[in-house]
Amino acid sequence: MSDLRAALPRRLADSYVDELVELDPLTGTYLGVPGTADRLPDFSPAGQEALADLARRTLARLPAAEALPGGDGDAERRCGRLLRERLTAELAVHDAGEPLRAVSNLHSPVHSVREGFTITPTETEEDWAAVARRLRAVPGALDGYRASLAEGLNRSLHAGPRQVETVIGQLGEWTEGAGGGWFGAFAADGPEALRAELDAAAREATGGVVRLREWLRDRYAPAVAGSPEIVGRERYARWVRYWNGTDLDLEDAYAYGWSEFHRLHAEMRAEAGKILPGSSPWEVLHHLDTEGEAVEGVEAVREWLQRLMDDAIGALDGTHFELADRVKRVESMIAPPGSAAAPYYTSPSLDFSRPGRTWLPTLGQTRFPVYDLVSTWYHEGVPGHHLQLAQWVHVADDLSRYQTTVGGVSANAEGWALYAERLMDELGFLYNAERRLGYLDCQMMRAVRVIIDIGMHLELRIPDDSPFEPGERWTPALAQEFFNRHSGRPADFVESELVRYLGMPGQAIGYKLGERAWLRGREAAKAAHGAAFDAKKWHMAALSQGALGLDDLVAELSVL
């Protein structure tokens, strides 16, 4: 354990990261820490308590760190404030027993285990030997996760039935097919010298997933049948703080979601009219699914998305951003089968030996309409998640590893990525009605998220000016119907999204609310600088701050 008695806040924060990696080797693998690729975390109640104890010890030491000479400087102040806010929010979630019911189609221990393999080094035979050891660790890690869920049942803390049903289906996809399912296919890429070891380890990993799936199906699902899917105001407020770094006025946020819905609806009608006059936006989007610009083939769409990001870097670098060479490297990937429907991004390792990567779930598709991919990849890749999170890694030595990695706040990152979509629209990259309608559909999805995520978890009333069920109280069924009516995405995507919101309450609202904070910060900076405002300088300064919650984001952006 590090000696933290004389540490300033940034050093204290980085010592926290070092101790966290010891408890959570998956975090170590994400960061590129050597020696972490052959182990998995302890997901049992004891493992969860060890993480909480580390957070409590660090918080106890923070006041002394802030009181040291230099502890009140801007860099130390920002880091200390973030550390306190993040650890306090995490402990609130832990103390409420939320890890004991962590079932989600996107964000749970079992998903973290599989995703960890996609970023584990596989360059050398030694790397693959570590992979084999990590594969053999899968059953034990999942047993610990099952123990936490069982403890949750004992304490009447459980996930909703829809979450459980969805995850059971996902785990089935992971274990199906010739060659031992997903883990067998992953291990098949290893060297022949380790073939027997890797195949045996993959079978053990698959066996651990099968046993978890059977337990969820036979024990957990019957125990939670008929349980509420929504979380209520108290739990929701706790998760809002965790995902957004602020305590929101939820009624105000709900009203903002509706205002954005009406604004975007009007813009969508205008763009749709340029393509099929007299048709609704969603009729036009369905038309574009079959008649619009598209890419045929899974490998072809991966290559197309790579070119889109490379072209964006070429166009933006030196004009609106000033990018280091290592930040310019980003890879387009296809997400493994059994993933949730939403695309996602994984950050580079701290030494950039593993680049940032975007991941596209294909959901069995082989034809990919372009209208929504363009804006989505400006969000996931460039200038969205990749430019922010890779820049954070680039400046980690100037801030702290905590501020640029594990201390991240979802609403900050998702808000920047949504701001990045808007920026590309402002700069003219969405140059025809088809692509611009796709962008507006992406924006509409984020406004709908604010409405239904807050609305259904708090059972709020649908306002009188709504085009859908005015006066009714939100339920998950109404939320899904509303989403289907106001989205260009297929029904299976909408289903996956709704399950996500039920299992990750408060996360989905951070896109729009985070974007609002970024826009307010930019406008305040413009007002302060007047004609001297330099967008490139502001963007790079904003991307070099590291993590901030929404409590602090606007204020910090305003003075750049």
Side-chain angles (χ1 to χ4, degrees):
M1 185 181 298
S2 305
D3 181 1
L4 307 180
R5 288 173 296 181
L8 286 165
R10 283 188 291 173
R11 184 180 165 208
L12 176 65
D14 280 346
S15 295
Y16 169 84
V17 173
D18 291 338
E19 293 195 48
L20 177 65
V21 166
E22 288 299 311
L23 296 173
D24 182 358
L26 277 176
T27 293
T29 303
Y30 276 102
L31 300 182
V33 177
T36 60
D38 60 348
R39 295 177 289 125
L40 289 170
D42 178 1
F43 295 117
S44 72
Q48 301 292 345
E49 188 56 38
L51 292 171
D53 185 59
L54 171 60
R56 293 186 191 105
R57 293 198 314 271
T58 305
L59 282 173
R61 292 165 173 149
L62 183 54
E66 293 170 319
L68 288 171
D72 58 350
D74 283 346
E76 300 294 347
R77 173 186 57 79
R78 280 193 293 268
C79 183
R81 186 172 169 86
L82 176 72
L83 186 64
R84 176 176 286 105
E85 190 279 322
R86 288 289 80 200
L87 296 186
T88 300
E90 291 167 16
L91 281 172
V93 167
H94 169 83
D95 292 344
E98 296 292 349
L100 303 180
R101 49 180 168 196
V103 182
S104 163
N105 67 340
L106 185 67
H107 183 75
S108 77
V110 67
H111 292 84
S112 297
V113 165
R114 187 173 74 146
E115 189 175 304
F117 284 97
T118 70
I119 49 90
T120 297
T122 55
E123 301 299 318
T124 67
E125 190 169 302
E126 183 179 353
D127 289 339
W128 279 101
V131 166
R133 293 192 294 274
R134 178 168 271 180
L135 284 166
R136 291 191 183 279
V138 169
L142 298 187
D143 285 347
Y145 174 44
R146 187 173 66 185
S148 287
L149 295 180
E151 177 62 18
L153 287 181
N154 291 337
R155 294 170 52 182
S156 296
L157 300 170
H158 45 71
R162 203 163 178 174
Q163 302 300 312
V164 180
E165 177 186 357
T166 301
V167 171
I168 290 170
Q170 287 181 317
L171 299 185
E173 288 188 59
W174 298 7
T175 56
E176 290 171 354
W182 187 86
F183 290 102
F186 178 82
D189 289 335
E192 283 304 311
L194 294 175
R195 173 58 39 231
E197 171 68 12
L198 284 166
D199 288 347
R203 286 193 295 272
E204 289 187 34
T206 300
V209 174
V210 169
R211 287 191 294 276
L212 175 63
R213 180 177 185 272
E214 290 173 346
W215 182 81
L216 288 170
R217 181 194 65 202
D218 300 337
R219 172 71 179 89
Y220 198 88
V224 304
S227 299
E229 297 280 5
I230 61 174
V231 302
R233 187 174 290 268
E234 182 181 352
R235 284 184 67 197
Y236 193 79
R238 186 182 302 122
W239 280 115
V240 164
R241 163 57 72 174
Y242 176 85
W243 292 116
N244 297 274
T246 190
D247 296 318
L248 289 168
D249 179 333
L250 295 173
E251 278 71 20
D252 173 75
Y254 181 66
Y256 173 69
W258 275 111
S259 69
E260 284 293 277
F261 171 87
H262 292 300
R263 178 184 68 82
L264 290 163
H265 197 185
E267 287 196 45
M268 291 180 75
R269 288 197 302 269
E271 293 297 329
K274 298 175 185 177
I275 301 170
L276 290 178
S279 298
S280 75
W282 293 282
E283 288 171 338
V284 174
L285 290 169
H286 290 314
H287 165 79
L288 295 176
D289 283 335
T290 56
E291 303 299 327
E293 181 185 1
V295 181
E296 297 283 353
V298 172
E299 178 58 18
V301 76
R302 188 199 66 76
E303 293 174 351
W304 188 88
L305 292 170
Q306 184 69 55
R307 288 194 299 273
L308 185 75
M309 293 189 292
D310 292 343
D311 290 348
I313 288 172
L316 296 172
D317 184 35
T319 55
H320 297 278
F321 300 90
E322 200 69 56
L323 304 177
D325 286 344
R326 60 186 187 172
V327 173
K328 297 177 190 178
R329 184 181 171 210
V330 57
E331 292 182 351
S332 170
M333 307 289 286
I334 300 299
S339 298
Y344 59 96
Y345 172 81
T346 53
S347 300
S349 57
L350 284 171
D351 63 359
F352 282 88
S353 59
R354 183 191 71 245
R357 291 169 175 157
T358 60
W359 299 81
L360 174 68
T362 63
L363 303 180
Q365 293 175 258
T366 57
R367 183 180 189 277
F368 302 89
V370 163
Y371 70 84
D372 65 337
L373 280 180
V374 174
S375 190
T376 298
W377 249 251
Y378 290 153
H379 180 108
E380 298 296 338
V382 179
H385 285 321
H386 177 69
L387 288 199
Q388 183 186 45
L389 300 180
Q391 179 68 16
W392 284 7
V393 174
H394 179 62
V395 300
D397 289 343
D398 298 326
L399 296 172
S400 68
R401 284 174 295 136
Y402 181 81
Q403 289 168 280
T404 55
T405 56
V406 299
V409 181
S410 177
N412 180 323
E414 299 299 352
W416 164 262
L418 201 56
Y419 167 86
E421 292 184 52
R422 183 187 290 254
L423 177 67
M424 295 302 269
D425 183 42
E426 292 173 351
L427 297 177
F429 282 78
L430 303 169
Y431 52 78
N432 61 29
E434 185 172 329
R435 294 189 178 198
R436 190 154 195 281
L437 183 60
Y439 154 71
L440 292 170
D441 184 47
C442 289
Q443 284 272 343
M444 176 61 85
M445 179 176 71
R446 278 48 174 264
V448 167
R449 282 174 171 174
V450 175
I451 293 168
I452 65 176
D453 198 66
I454 298 175
M456 68 181 177
H457 282 296
L458 273 58
E459 299 180 281
L460 296 182
R461 181 181 176 276
I462 301 174
D464 292 338
D465 61 352
S466 166
F468 174 83
E469 301 292 344
E472 294 294 320
R473 295 278 174 181
W474 282 111
T475 65
L478 286 177
Q480 187 165 349
E481 184 181 351
F482 180 75
F483 197 164
N484 268 314
R485 289 193 189 184
H486 299 94
S487 171
R489 287 158 179 76
D492 57 350
F493 183 98
V494 173
E495 166 74 17
S496 179
E497 282 287 291
L498 191 75
V499 172
R500 168 185 171 180
Y501 309 156
L502 291 169
M504 299 170 66
Q507 191 271 341
I509 67 176
Y511 296 71
K512 257 297 173 190
L513 299 175
E515 180 201 37
R516 180 173 65 168
W518 277 95
L519 290 169
R520 285 175 172 174
R522 186 180 69 174
E523 291 310 304
K526 281 184 174 181
H529 290 286
F533 178 77
D534 183 329
K536 180 172 69 173
K537 181 178 178 182
W538 184 83
H539 280 140
M540 295 314 300
L543 292 182
S544 299
Q545 291 186 109
L548 292 165
L550 296 192
D551 273 348
D552 301 315
L553 183 60
V554 176
E556 296 291 348
L557 292 173
S558 299
V559 298
L560 296 178

